[in-house]
Amino acid sequence: MMFGKPVFLITDVLIFFLVFVIILFFAYAMRKPHLRKPWRQVVRSKAGVISIMVLMLYVCIGILDSMHFNPKVENSSKDGDIQYSGEIQSVFDLIVSDIRNSTEKTYSAPFAAYLFAKETVQLEDGTKIREHPRLTWGGAHLANPELEKGADILRLAITGLVKALVVWLVLMTLLCLLLSVRAKKSFFAVTKNIAKGASDIPWRTIAVTLAVLLAVILVGAEWAAKYHVLGTDKVGEDVLYQALKSIRTGVVIGTLTTLLMLPFAITLGIMAGYFRGWVDDVIQYLYTTLNSIPGVLLIAAAVLMLNVYMGKHAEDFASLTERADMRLLFLCLILGLTSWTGLCRLLRAETLKLREVDFVQAASAFGVGPTQTIFRHIMPNMMHIVLITIVLDFSGLVLAEAVLSYINIGVDPTMNSWGNMINSARLEMAREPVVWWSLAASLFFMFTMVLFANLFADVVRDALDPRIAKS
Amino acid sequence: MIAYIIRRILYAIPILIGVNILTFLLFFVVNSPDDMARMFLGQKHVTEEQIEDWKSERGYHQPLFYNAEEEGVEKLTQTIFYTKSVRLFVFDFGRSDSGRDISFDISQRMWPSLAIAVPQLIVGLLVTISLALLIAFFRGTYIDYWAVVICVALMSISSLFYIIGGQFVMGKVLRVVPISGFEDGVFGIKFLILPVLIGIIGGIGSSTRWYRTIFLEEINKDYVRTARAKGISEQMVLFKHVLRNAMIPILTGVVVILPLLFMGSLITESFFGIPGLGSYTIDAINRQDFSIVRSMVFLGAVLYIIGLLLTDISYTLVDPRVRLN
C-alpha cells in the first residue's frame, strides 16, 4: 500500500457494487441487438452525449472520493512496521491535497489575497493598525497583490488553456485514428466528417464538450493551485474543496436510494401483479399505507428515531466518518422507503398486462412454473421501466438531500454536502457586504449535476419508453 | 353515489389503522420512552428519577400494550398504545412534549398556512396552464424546444435557491417587501406576496412541462383532428376542445393535494417566519418534540386519504365514462 491502509465504508462497497452491476449490464446489453438499440439512440442524440460526459465527470469524482484509506503516519517506520492514522481520507483528497490543506483563518472572497474581515495587526515599530491581513495561502506568491493579481490570474488561465488544448489535440487525434481504423477510411476523411458534424454519433458535439470540460478542469486546477477560486468559509476551509467533496454525497444519495429500494419494489410489484388475489391485496395495502404518510414527515419521524438510536449506540461507531456514513446509508434507506411505492405500482400494472400476453400464457401452458416465468418472461420485459425510474429519480433525490439537510433531517452535519453548505451559508446573506460564494458554489454545482441528470433522463426515457418510440 | 362514497370511506379505515400502527412502532418500539427521555435530557449525568419524572409528565410511564396493574377495561386503556395512538382516531392529539395543547395549536396555525398555500395554488395554476397552452400553440417550433429546455433548467434549480435568491433580491436589494414575518388581516398581505411569488416561480418549470405533455397528448387525438377538419380556427380548437378535456387530468391532479394545503410548506414557512403548520412541524423536529411530529404524521395521512377520496369522486363527476364499481 502506497498511501495507507484501505478502508471500506458501507456506502463505498455499495457504490462499487453498483458500478460493477452497471458495467455487467452494458457488457450484456451490447451483445443483444434489441437491448443495444435504445442505447444507440441515446448516444446519437446531442443532449444525450453532452449529459453523459458531464455526469461521467461527476461520477468519476464521486468514485475517486469513495476510495477511502487510513493514511500512513510520517516518520513512523522506526522499527520497520508502519503506523496508520485513524483519520479516513479518500484518493480524491490525495489528488486535491493542496486545496484541502490550504485553510485560512476565516472568510475570504474568491481569488482574494486578503482576508475578508479586518484584524488588528501589530507593525514592527509597535503601532497597531486595523487592516485586512494577507492570506496564508491564497495569492501568497504575489509580492504586491493589488498590481499583480489581474495579470497573474490571466497568465494562469492561459497556461491552463494551453494545457487543455494540448490534451484535447492528443485525445482528438487518437479518436480520429481509432475511428479511421475502424471505418477503414483515411484519417483526413474521418476528421473532415467530424468537423462537418456529419457523423452518426455526434462526434463534433463530443469534441466541443470535451474541450469545454478540459478547459474548465485545467484552468480551474491552475487557479486552485495558487488561489481560493471560490473563496473560503467561516472556518477558512476552501469552498471549492467542499463543493467537490459534496459531489460524492449527492451521487450516493441519488443512486444508492434507488438501488436499495429496487429489490423491494421489483419483488413486491411483480408478486402483486402475477399472483393477484390476497397477495395483491396485502401488497397494495402495504404501499397505500406507506404512501399516505407525507414523505417529508415520514422521513422526519424516521430520522428523529435514528438520532435517538445513534445516541444510544454511540460506541458502535469507530470514527465520526463511519458514523456519518452510517447515517447517509440510513437516509438512503428511508428515502427509498418513501419512493419505492411509485415504482411498485408501475410494475404491478405492467405485470398484470404481461401475464395475459400470449408468450406468457404459452409458457404456463407448457408447464413452466411461476418462478421461471417471472425470471424469463416477465422481468426482462419491464427492465425499461426500472431503468427509466432510476434515471428519473436521480435528480429529485439530489435536490431532496439539500432540502432535508436544511431542516436538519438530512445527512450528518459533519459530512460535506450541498445541503449542509447552503444551511451554514444562508445566514451569511445578511452580512454586509454579502458573503455569497459558499451559497453560489453549492447551488451551481448542484444545478449542473441536476440539470444534466434531467436532460439525460429525458433522452433515456425517449429511447426506452416503447410508447414514445412508436409514435 | 352515496354507497360508493361510504365504501371508499370504509376502505380508508384499515389504511389509517396501518398508519397508526406504523407510527406507533416507529416512535415507541424502535426506541423505548427511556431512550427518548435520555435524548431529551442529555445523554450523560441523567438519573433514573429524572427519566421517570420526564416520562410520567408526558404520560410515557405506562406500559406499551397491556397494563396488568389496572382493573377491567383499564388494563387496555391505561397504556401508551391507547392514550397516544388510539386516541388519534378521534383527533385527540394530546399535549406536546413541552406541554402545549396540540389540537389548539393546529387550529390556530392552519390559517396562516392556508393564506400562503391557497393563493399560491390558484395563481400558480393560472400561470402554468396559460404558459403550457402557449407552448402547445407553438408546438414543434424553436419556441417550443427552448421553452422545454428552460423548463428543465428551472426544474433543476433547488427550491432553496429560489427562496434565498428571492429574499435577497426583493427584500434586501430592492426593498419592495419585508423579508419575513406575518401579520393577520389586510396589512398582512405585504408579508404574503414574496412567499406566494416564490412558490409560484419555483413550481413553474415542472408544472408547465407536465401540462404541456397533457395538452400535446390531447392535441393528437382524433376529435381534435375532426374539429380542425371542420375548419375551426386553431385558437378555438385549443380553448374549446383541448383545454376543456385536458382540464380533467390537471384538476384531478390538483384535487389530491387540496387537503394537504392545510399542512403548509415546511421550507417556505420556516424561511419566511410564517406561523403556520409547516413551521410548527419544523420547530417540532428541531426541538425533538415527538408528540407533535407523531400528530402531524397522522394528520397528514388523514388529509392525504381525504385527497384520494376527493380525487375519485371528482373523476366520476367530470368524466362520465368512469363507472362506480
Side-chain angles (χ1 to χ4, degrees):
Chain A
M1 285 292 111
M2 278 164 60
F3 333 111
K5 186 172 59 176
V7 177
F8 294 100
L9 301 175
I10 302 177
T11 50
D12 295 347
V13 177
L14 286 171
I15 281 280
F16 291 130
F17 173 71
L18 187 66
V19 172
F20 177 69
V21 170
I22 290 173
I23 292 174
L24 218 62
F25 170 77
F26 276 100
Y28 176 77
M30 285 309 113
R31 285 189 285 125
K32 308 268 174 181
H34 69 283
L35 290 175
R36 199 166 53 200
K37 205 179 135 226
W39 294 104
R40 277 209 168 160
Q41 194 186 326
V42 171
V43 294
R44 273 172 199 180
S45 84
K46 284 180 186 166
V49 288
I50 297 177
S51 44
I52 287 176
M53 289 176 74
V54 177
L55 288 177
M56 282 292 268
L57 179 64
Y58 271 91
V59 169
C60 283
I61 295 176
I63 290 176
L64 282 177
D65 206 6
S66 298
M67 300 174 180
H68 288 101
F69 61 89
N70 289 128
K72 215 185 284 182
V73 177
E74 301 281 333
N75 318 321
S76 66
S77 46
K78 278 177 288 184
D79 41 0
D81 60 318
I82 307 158
Q83 285 180 350
Y84 299 105
S85 102
E87 185 195 21
I88 297 179
Q89 281 189 19
S90 73
V91 174
F92 183 71
D93 287 335
L94 216 62
I95 298 172
V96 296
S97 56
D98 265 2
I99 56 172
R100 175 183 146 87
N101 299 325
S102 64
T103 50
E104 306 291 345
K105 226 176 211 166
T106 177
Y107 295 111
S108 68
F111 290 112
Y114 295 97
L115 215 57
F116 187 63
K118 277 189 176 173
E119 265 182 19
T120 311
V121 183
Q122 191 160 19
L123 294 180
E124 278 168 29
D125 55 357
T127 51
K128 286 179 181 172
I129 52 159
R130 282 185 67 74
E131 60 158 20
H132 298 282
R134 282 292 293 269
L135 295 179
T136 50
W137 193 78
H141 61 295
L142 302 174
N144 190 351
E146 280 88 356
L147 295 173
E148 299 168 14
K149 204 169 78 174
D152 187 54
I153 291 173
L154 196 66
R155 190 179 55 80
L156 289 172
I158 291 169
T159 324
L161 282 178
V162 170
K163 278 186 189 170
L165 189 68
V166 172
V167 176
W168 185 77
L169 281 175
V170 171
L171 284 177
M172 287 315 290
T173 318
L174 285 176
L175 178 77
C176 289
L177 272 175
L178 195 74
L179 286 177
S180 62
V181 171
R182 269 188 63 176
K184 296 194 177 68
K185 279 183 197 160
S186 81
F187 178 78
F188 290 103
V190 170
T191 320
K192 217 169 118 187
N193 214 14
I194 290 176
K196 275 197 298 190
S199 48
D200 222 7
I201 293 172
W203 287 115
R204 191 173 62 174
T205 318
I206 294 177
V208 173
T209 319
L210 186 70
V212 172
L213 289 179
L214 280 174
V216 169
I217 296 170
L218 291 173
V219 172
E222 286 293 318
W223 280 340
K226 303 280 189 215
Y227 295 96
H228 294 290
V229 180
L230 296 170
T232 53
D233 73 344
K234 193 170 185 175
V235 290
E237 209 180 335
D238 191 276
V239 171
L240 178 67
Y241 172 70
Q242 288 181 339
L244 288 173
K245 284 288 276 183
S246 305
I247 290 175
R248 174 176 185 266
T249 316
V251 172
V252 166
I253 292 212
T255 52
L256 285 196
T257 304
T258 323
L259 179 77
L260 289 173
M261 68 121 183
L262 274 185
F264 299 97
I266 293 179
T267 324
L268 293 179
I270 291 180
M271 273 170 68
Y274 191 79
F275 294 112
R276 298 191 291 194
W278 67 269
V279 181
D280 189 18
D281 288 340
V282 170
I283 292 169
Q284 273 199 67
Y285 171 72
L286 204 67
Y287 69 61
T288 321
T289 307
L290 267 178
N291 209 23
S292 59
I293 304 175
V296 188
L297 289 173
L298 186 62
I299 295 166
V303 170
L304 273 188
M305 288 306 116
L306 180 69
N307 282 344
V308 176
Y309 182 84
M310 288 200 139
K312 198 166 71 173
H313 300 271
E315 66 281 358
D316 288 359
F317 305 104
S319 66
L320 275 178
T321 318
E322 268 172 49
R323 195 186 136 95
D325 186 67
M326 204 60 196
R327 193 167 153 153
L328 179 67
L329 184 72
F330 267 108
L331 189 69
C332 291
L333 268 175
I334 295 162
L335 278 168
L337 190 72
T338 56
S339 64
W340 69 279
T341 53
L343 178 62
C344 187
R345 193 177 311 181
L346 280 177
L347 291 180
R348 173 182 166 270
E350 192 66 19
T351 316
L352 278 176
K353 242 186 278 167
L354 274 177
R355 78 190 299 279
E356 304 301 332
V357 173
D358 287 344
F359 63 84
V360 180
Q361 293 285 315
S364 37
F366 279 126
V368 180
T371 336
Q372 277 220 310
T373 318
I374 288 174
F375 275 106
R376 266 203 211 147
H377 302 294
I378 292 186
M379 278 232 296
N381 280 304
M382 28 207 222
M383 274 306 126
H384 68 278
I385 299 182
V386 176
L387 285 173
I388 292 173
T389 314
I390 295 176
V391 288
L392 273 185
D393 281 358
F394 181 81
S395 51
L397 289 166
V398 175
L399 289 177
E401 184 275 324
V403 171
L404 292 177
S405 296
Y406 166 73
I407 43 181
N408 291 329
I409 53 174
V411 296
D412 199 84
T414 59
M415 186 165 236
N416 282 309
S417 89
W418 292 314
N420 280 340
M421 281 175 77
I422 296 174
N423 195 8
S424 54
R426 75 198 158 89
L427 291 174
E428 308 308 334
M429 293 298 278
R431 282 173 83 104
E432 201 68 52
V434 183
V435 177
W436 49 269
W437 42 88
S438 216
L439 209 62
S442 50
L443 288 168
F444 174 75
F445 274 82
M446 187 157 63
F447 171 71
T448 10
M449 183 155 97
V450 173
L451 175 68
F452 287 105
N454 273 332
L455 290 175
F456 182 61
D458 272 7
V459 177
V460 169
R461 196 187 47 194
D462 288 352
L464 285 176
D465 197 334
R467 282 177 307 169
I468 298 176
K470 267 175 211 155
S471 61
Chain B
M1 186 72 186
I2 291 171
Y4 172 74
I5 294 174
I6 291 174
R7 203 162 60 233
R8 289 292 324 220
I9 292 176
L10 289 179
Y11 183 64
I13 291 174
I15 294 174
L16 279 180
I17 294 177
V19 171
N20 201 311
I21 292 174
L22 188 78
T23 45
F24 180 79
L25 288 178
L26 201 60
F27 278 90
F28 292 107
V29 180
V30 175
N31 294 288
S32 68
D34 279 28
D35 300 332
M36 285 198 282
R38 254 186 221 111
M39 180 87 189
F40 202 81
L41 299 168
Q43 288 295 322
K44 283 159 196 143
H45 316 297
V46 175
T47 59
E48 282 300 312
E49 291 96 78
Q50 279 175 310
I51 292 178
E52 285 308 314
D53 283 349
W54 189 88
K55 273 159 60 185
S56 57
E57 262 173 42
R58 290 158 184 79
Y60 293 149
H61 59 292
Q62 294 158 333
L64 285 182
F65 294 105
Y66 185 75
N67 195 340
E69 291 164 19
E70 303 287 336
E71 292 297 313
V73 197
E74 302 237 305
K75 273 187 192 298
L76 290 176
T77 56
Q78 290 298 319
T79 58
I80 292 183
F81 183 65
Y82 183 81
T83 53
K84 297 290 169 194
S85 270
V86 179
R87 296 295 290 167
L88 287 177
F89 283 111
V90 291
F91 295 101
D92 174 10
F93 296 118
R95 295 193 166 271
S96 71
D97 289 349
S98 52
R100 289 177 59 90
D101 184 8
I102 297 178
S103 304
F104 176 75
D105 276 350
I106 290 177
S107 67
Q108 290 287 305
R109 279 173 165 260
M110 62 188 232
W111 301 112
S113 287
L114 281 178
I116 302 265
V118 172
Q120 189 177 316
L121 179 76
I122 295 171
V123 181
L125 266 182
L126 286 177
V127 171
T128 44
I129 290 178
S130 324
L131 277 176
L133 206 58
L134 198 67
I135 298 172
F137 181 76
F138 289 110
R139 65 191 173 279
T141 63
Y142 270 102
I143 297 177
D144 181 28
Y145 178 79
W146 283 107
V148 173
V149 170
I150 291 171
C151 281
V152 174
L154 285 175
M155 275 166 64
S156 310
I157 299 173
S158 169
S159 56
L160 297 171
F161 174 77
Y162 287 114
I163 297 175
I164 298 174
Q167 276 186 329
F168 184 70
V169 173
M170 298 282 284
K172 204 173 166 195
V173 178
L174 301 176
R175 295 180 190 280
V176 194
V177 285
I179 290 182
S180 70
F182 187 76
E183 197 177 310
D184 280 327
V186 187
F187 295 107
I189 290 177
K190 66 173 184 285
F191 290 108
L192 297 184
I193 295 171
L194 190 57
V196 169
L197 193 69
I198 287 171
I200 293 168
I201 295 174
I204 277 185
S206 53
S207 322
T208 307
R209 198 167 81 122
W210 167 234
Y211 295 157
R212 172 187 166 270
T213 327
I214 294 178
F215 285 136
L216 288 189
E217 227 165 71
E218 210 64 36
I219 279 177
N220 290 325
K221 284 190 177 162
D222 286 342
Y223 74 91
V224 179
R225 199 173 349 143
T226 316
R228 268 204 210 100
K230 285 195 298 186
I232 297 175
S233 70
E234 184 67 23
Q235 286 91 327
M236 269 308 236
V237 170
L238 277 183
F239 282 103
K240 275 268 151 90
H241 296 274
V242 174
L243 181 61
R244 281 200 185 174
N245 282 291
M247 282 315 273
I248 295 177
I250 293 176
L251 282 184
T252 42
V254 169
V255 169
V256 184
I257 58 159
L258 274 185
L260 285 171
L261 292 183
F262 284 98
M263 304 282 289
S265 151
L266 300 186
I267 304 294
T268 313
E269 287 185 13
S270 78
F271 259 108
F272 290 100
I274 288 149
L277 281 182
S279 54
Y280 187 56
T281 317
I282 292 251
D283 291 346
I285 292 170
N286 286 335
R287 274 187 287 121
Q288 314 234 337
D289 197 321
F290 303 106
S291 306
I292 297 178
V293 177
R294 211 174 51 235
S295 310
M296 296 311 282
V297 167
F298 187 74
L299 187 67
V302 172
L303 292 173
Y304 180 77
I305 290 168
I306 295 174
L308 284 185
L309 189 67
L310 290 179
T311 313
D312 286 350
I313 295 172
S314 64
Y315 256 123
T316 61
L317 291 180
V318 293
D319 194 342
R321 285 168 302 181
V322 176
R323 297 211 184 92
L324 306 175
N325 47 38

